[in-house]
Amino acid sequence: GLQAGAVLVLAFDPREWDDARRRAAALAPYNQGVDALARNDFVLAEREFRLALQTAPELVDARYNLALVLLKRGQHRQASDLLEPLAAARPDDPEIGFALGNALFQQARFDEAVTAFARVLQRHPGHRRAAFGHARSLQEAGRTREARAAWNAYLTLDSDSSWADEARRHLRALPAD
């Protein structure tokens, strides 16, 4: 192994060095965007995430956080445009899939939201927010029988929170088959 004080020489070709410098330069605005998002300063957060992406367009976290900012600002179409390729590239990431389902739901694209939430639940069956969104999307899409099953599935994950109370209200509101 390496001894304390040993010198480690890393060799970069010019392209690798440029990529590393570019990504490092994108971290400052990215981190400022994260701080602004945490403070609910969505205008500043959007500006900083866009700046980070101009410098390093491959930064998935910057793209995801920009989509979250756009959702918070009510720009649901722009958010789903960012999230759709991310969800395709990272199908195992439940937060990206959930955010996409939410963006689609907010656009009244209920059948597409059902699909997005179902994808999250396939890989993460205990994801409560996706289960809730799935049931709500089915209900809004007018798919009553499936919505009833989805609300009951949600209630097996969560039976005693305020969300569970809301799920029961939605279940009672469904028309009889």
Side-chain angles (χ1 to χ4, degrees), residues 84 87-88 91-92 97 100 104 112-124 130 134:
E84 283 169 345
D92 287 326
L100 175 58
L104 295 166
E112 292 171 81
V114 166
T115 301
F117 289 128
R119 261 190 243 116
V120 173
L121 292 170
Q122 273 181 327
R123 291 176 165 87
H124 306 276
H134 185 243

Side-chain angles (χ1 to χ4, degrees), residues 18-74:
D18 288 344
D19 285 350
R21 285 193 5 229
R22 188 175 44 76
R23 279 194 301 280
L27 284 179
Y30 172 79
N31 288 332
Q32 289 174 339
V34 169
D35 290 343
L37 180 56
R39 294 190 318 270
N40 294 325
D41 184 345
F42 303 130
V43 172
L44 178 61
E46 180 177 351
R47 188 183 78 216
E48 295 299 320
F49 290 134
R50 287 190 187 282
L51 188 58
L53 287 167
Q54 283 174 3
T55 306
E58 73 279 5
L59 288 180
V60 171
D61 290 341
R63 195 168 303 280
Y64 168 70
N65 282 316
L66 175 57
L68 293 183
V69 168
L70 294 172
L71 279 171
K72 297 269 190 193
R73 298 187 74 192

